[in-house]
Amino acid sequence: MGGGAPCAFVHRPFSSIKGLDIIFEREIAKGGSPNSINMSEFSFKQGKGYYQMVGSSYRQIIQFSDNKQDYFYQNSTGQSGNLVSDHYDDSIETFANGDYHLLVTGQNEVVKTLNLVVPKTAD
């Protein structure tokens, strides 16, 4: 897991509702500062110490080379806003650690990962 101050990933509007906040909100320790690439702002919370409430939620690296381009990305908590989805918070640890996912862009690679549903046309 990431090191540093605790960081809250709040859910709008459910983080403001007692009881729902513990279901929808996520927290993990991660590094960063207001003057770094890993931007984050801190405030002091009684009983918790320094606490991150503001920071980047999406990061992207584009690597250019002579024969191809690589795209790496990281979305803070996950790709889904659906609480019961496996992808609701499956990226939070990799985000805190500063790890990235490779974004597949080549047509052959994309076709391998797609599950297309094509409706039948009426004859």
Side-chain angles (χ1 to χ4, degrees):
M1 279 211 251
C7 177
F9 294 92
V10 297
H11 184 282
R12 303 279 191 249
F14 296 131
S15 287
S16 61
I17 302 171
K18 193 161 183 72
L20 292 180
D21 57 344
I22 60 173
I23 297 170
F24 286 89
E25 199 168 287
R26 298 295 184 261
E27 183 179 301
I28 194 166
K30 70 179 214 52
S33 71
N35 301 314
S36 70
I37 291 175
N38 190 16
M39 194 294 273
S40 62
E41 300 251 345
F42 299 88
S43 62
F44 188 82
K45 283 191 150 190
Q46 196 68 14
K48 289 194 174 202
Y50 286 98
Y51 203 74
Q52 294 183 42
M53 295 296 288
V54 175
S56 63
S57 61
Y58 179 83
R59 300 180 189 134
Q60 180 175 341
I61 297 172
I62 302 172
Q63 178 179 329
F64 297 99
S65 66
D66 291 338
N67 47 352
K68 71 175 190 164
Q69 293 178 338
D70 287 325
Y71 301 90
F72 299 92
Y73 73 96
Q74 182 51 261
N75 189 1
S76 59
T77 54
Q79 285 296 109
S80 177
N82 181 345
L83 181 65
V84 296
S85 169
D86 291 340
H87 304 295
Y88 182 73
D89 62 1
D90 63 342
S91 291
I92 195 166
E93 287 189 32
T94 55
F95 185 78
N97 292 332
D99 297 331
Y100 289 82
H101 303 285
L102 176 64
L103 180 63
V104 178
T105 58
Q107 182 177 353
N108 291 337
E109 294 300 315
V110 171
V111 169
K112 287 182 203 175
T113 62
L114 288 179
N115 291 320
L116 294 178
V117 176
V118 179
K120 290 184 178 181
T121 57
D123 292 327

Short mmCIF file of all heavy atoms in Angstrom, two decimals, residues 88-111:
data_model
loop_
_atom_site.label_atom_id
_atom_site.label_comp_id
_atom_site.label_asym_id
_atom_site.label_seq_id
_atom_site.Cartn_x
_atom_site.Cartn_y
_atom_site.Cartn_z
N TYR A 88 -15.32 -1.00 -8.81
CA TYR A 88 -15.65 0.20 -8.02
C TYR A 88 -14.41 0.75 -7.33
O TYR A 88 -14.18 1.95 -7.30
CB TYR A 88 -16.74 -0.12 -7.00
CG TYR A 88 -17.17 1.07 -6.18
CD1 TYR A 88 -17.95 2.07 -6.75
CD2 TYR A 88 -16.82 1.21 -4.84
CE1 TYR A 88 -18.35 3.18 -6.02
CE2 TYR A 88 -17.21 2.31 -4.10
CZ TYR A 88 -17.99 3.29 -4.70
OH TYR A 88 -18.37 4.39 -3.96
N ASP A 89 -13.59 -0.13 -6.75
CA ASP A 89 -12.41 0.33 -6.02
C ASP A 89 -11.19 -0.55 -6.26
O ASP A 89 -10.27 -0.59 -5.45
CB ASP A 89 -12.70 0.44 -4.53
CG ASP A 89 -13.08 -0.88 -3.89
OD1 ASP A 89 -13.12 -1.91 -4.60
OD2 ASP A 89 -13.34 -0.89 -2.68
N ASP A 90 -11.16 -1.25 -7.41
CA ASP A 90 -10.05 -2.18 -7.66
C ASP A 90 -8.74 -1.51 -8.05
O ASP A 90 -7.71 -2.18 -8.14
CB ASP A 90 -10.44 -3.23 -8.70
CG ASP A 90 -10.74 -2.64 -10.07
OD1 ASP A 90 -10.98 -1.42 -10.15
OD2 ASP A 90 -10.74 -3.40 -11.05
N SER A 91 -8.72 -0.20 -8.23
CA SER A 91 -7.48 0.49 -8.60
C SER A 91 -6.91 1.34 -7.48
O SER A 91 -5.88 2.00 -7.67
CB SER A 91 -7.73 1.39 -9.82
OG SER A 91 -7.96 0.62 -10.96
N ILE A 92 -7.54 1.36 -6.33
CA ILE A 92 -7.13 2.30 -5.28
C ILE A 92 -5.70 2.04 -4.78
O ILE A 92 -4.94 2.98 -4.55
CB ILE A 92 -8.15 2.32 -4.12
CG1 ILE A 92 -7.92 3.54 -3.23
CG2 ILE A 92 -8.14 1.03 -3.35
CD1 ILE A 92 -9.07 3.81 -2.29
N GLU A 93 -5.30 0.78 -4.63
CA GLU A 93 -3.94 0.50 -4.16
C GLU A 93 -2.90 0.82 -5.22
O GLU A 93 -1.85 1.37 -4.91
CB GLU A 93 -3.83 -0.95 -3.70
CG GLU A 93 -4.54 -1.18 -2.38
CD GLU A 93 -4.27 -2.55 -1.80
OE1 GLU A 93 -3.16 -3.09 -2.01
OE2 GLU A 93 -5.16 -3.08 -1.13
N THR A 94 -3.17 0.48 -6.48
CA THR A 94 -2.21 0.82 -7.54
C THR A 94 -2.09 2.33 -7.70
O THR A 94 -1.01 2.85 -7.97
CB THR A 94 -2.58 0.16 -8.88
OG1 THR A 94 -3.91 0.52 -9.24
CG2 THR A 94 -2.46 -1.34 -8.82
N PHE A 95 -3.19 3.06 -7.50
CA PHE A 95 -3.15 4.52 -7.56
C PHE A 95 -2.28 5.08 -6.43
O PHE A 95 -1.43 5.93 -6.66
CB PHE A 95 -4.57 5.07 -7.46
CG PHE A 95 -4.65 6.57 -7.63
CD1 PHE A 95 -4.58 7.14 -8.88
CD2 PHE A 95 -4.80 7.40 -6.53
CE1 PHE A 95 -4.65 8.52 -9.04
CE2 PHE A 95 -4.87 8.78 -6.69
CZ PHE A 95 -4.81 9.33 -7.95
N ALA A 96 -2.47 4.58 -5.24
CA ALA A 96 -1.69 5.06 -4.09
C ALA A 96 -0.20 4.73 -4.24
O ALA A 96 0.66 5.49 -3.82
CB ALA A 96 -2.22 4.45 -2.79
N ASN A 97 0.10 3.61 -4.89
CA ASN A 97 1.49 3.20 -5.09
C ASN A 97 2.14 3.88 -6.29
O ASN A 97 3.34 3.73 -6.51
CB ASN A 97 1.58 1.69 -5.27
CG ASN A 97 1.25 0.94 -4.00
OD1 ASN A 97 1.43 1.46 -2.90
ND2 ASN A 97 0.73 -0.26 -4.15
N GLY A 98 1.36 4.59 -7.10
CA GLY A 98 1.91 5.25 -8.29
C GLY A 98 2.09 4.32 -9.47
O GLY A 98 2.87 4.60 -10.37
N ASP A 99 1.39 3.20 -9.47
CA ASP A 99 1.47 2.25 -10.58
C ASP A 99 0.46 2.65 -11.66
O ASP A 99 -0.53 3.34 -11.38
CB ASP A 99 1.17 0.83 -10.10
CG ASP A 99 2.19 0.33 -9.09
OD1 ASP A 99 3.34 0.78 -9.15
OD2 ASP A 99 1.81 -0.49 -8.23
N TYR A 100 0.69 2.17 -12.88
CA TYR A 100 -0.17 2.52 -14.01
C TYR A 100 -0.60 1.27 -14.76
O TYR A 100 0.04 0.22 -14.68
CB TYR A 100 0.58 3.44 -14.98
CG TYR A 100 0.80 4.82 -14.41
CD1 TYR A 100 1.84 5.08 -13.54
CD2 TYR A 100 -0.05 5.85 -14.73
CE1 TYR A 100 2.03 6.33 -13.00
CE2 TYR A 100 0.13 7.12 -14.20
CZ TYR A 100 1.17 7.35 -13.34
OH TYR A 100 1.35 8.60 -12.80
N HIS A 101 -1.69 1.41 -15.52
CA HIS A 101 -2.18 0.34 -16.39
C HIS A 101 -1.85 0.72 -17.83
O HIS A 101 -1.92 1.89 -18.20
CB HIS A 101 -3.70 0.19 -16.27
CG HIS A 101 -4.16 -0.07 -14.89
ND1 HIS A 101 -4.01 -1.28 -14.27
CD2 HIS A 101 -4.77 0.73 -13.97
CE1 HIS A 101 -4.52 -1.22 -13.05
NE2 HIS A 101 -4.97 -0.01 -12.85
N LEU A 102 -1.53 -0.28 -18.65
CA LEU A 102 -1.29 -0.05 -20.06
C LEU A 102 -2.63 0.04 -20.78
O LEU A 102 -3.48 -0.85 -20.63
CB LEU A 102 -0.45 -1.18 -20.66
CG LEU A 102 -0.20 -1.11 -22.17
CD1 LEU A 102 0.62 0.13 -22.52
CD2 LEU A 102 0.52 -2.36 -22.64
N LEU A 103 -2.84 1.10 -21.52
CA LEU A 103 -4.06 1.26 -22.31
C LEU A 103 -3.82 0.64 -23.67
O LEU A 103 -2.92 1.05 -24.40
CB LEU A 103 -4.41 2.74 -22.46
CG LEU A 103 -5.67 3.05 -23.26
CD1 LEU A 103 -6.91 2.48 -22.59
CD2 LEU A 103 -5.81 4.55 -23.44
N VAL A 104 -4.59 -0.37 -24.01
CA VAL A 104 -4.44 -1.07 -25.28
C VAL A 104 -5.07 -0.21 -26.37
O VAL A 104 -6.22 0.20 -26.26
CB VAL A 104 -5.12 -2.45 -25.21
CG1 VAL A 104 -5.03 -3.17 -26.54
CG2 VAL A 104 -4.50 -3.29 -24.10
N THR A 105 -4.28 0.07 -27.42
CA THR A 105 -4.78 0.95 -28.48
C THR A 105 -4.76 0.34 -29.87
O THR A 105 -5.47 0.77 -30.74
CB THR A 105 -3.97 2.26 -28.53
OG1 THR A 105 -2.60 1.92 -28.75
CG2 THR A 105 -4.13 3.05 -27.26
N GLY A 106 -3.92 -0.66 -30.11
CA GLY A 106 -3.85 -1.26 -31.44
C GLY A 106 -5.13 -1.99 -31.77
O GLY A 106 -5.71 -2.66 -30.92
N GLN A 107 -5.60 -1.89 -33.01
CA GLN A 107 -6.88 -2.49 -33.38
C GLN A 107 -6.89 -3.98 -33.11
O GLN A 107 -7.86 -4.51 -32.57
CB GLN A 107 -7.19 -2.23 -34.86
CG GLN A 107 -8.53 -2.81 -35.26
CD GLN A 107 -8.88 -2.49 -36.71
OE1 GLN A 107 -8.18 -1.74 -37.37
NE2 GLN A 107 -9.95 -3.07 -37.19
N ASN A 108 -5.82 -4.69 -33.43
CA ASN A 108 -5.79 -6.14 -33.18
C ASN A 108 -5.89 -6.45 -31.70
O ASN A 108 -6.55 -7.41 -31.30
CB ASN A 108 -4.51 -6.75 -33.76
CG ASN A 108 -4.50 -6.73 -35.27
OD1 ASN A 108 -5.55 -6.66 -35.91
ND2 ASN A 108 -3.31 -6.76 -35.85
N GLU A 109 -5.22 -5.66 -30.87
CA GLU A 109 -5.27 -5.88 -29.43
C GLU A 109 -6.65 -5.55 -28.86
O GLU A 109 -7.16 -6.24 -28.00
CB GLU A 109 -4.20 -5.06 -28.72
CG GLU A 109 -2.79 -5.48 -29.05
CD GLU A 109 -2.51 -6.93 -28.67
OE1 GLU A 109 -2.89 -7.34 -27.55
OE2 GLU A 109 -1.95 -7.66 -29.50
N VAL A 110 -7.25 -4.47 -29.35
CA VAL A 110 -8.58 -4.08 -28.87
C VAL A 110 -9.61 -5.14 -29.23
O VAL A 110 -10.44 -5.52 -28.42
CB VAL A 110 -8.98 -2.69 -29.43
CG1 VAL A 110 -10.43 -2.39 -29.12
CG2 VAL A 110 -8.07 -1.61 -28.88
N VAL A 111 -9.55 -5.66 -30.45
CA VAL A 111 -10.51 -6.67 -30.90
C VAL A 111 -10.41 -7.91 -30.01
O VAL A 111 -11.42 -8.52 -29.67
CB VAL A 111 -10.28 -7.01 -32.38
CG1 VAL A 111 -11.07 -8.24 -32.79
CG2 VAL A 111 -10.67 -5.83 -33.25
#
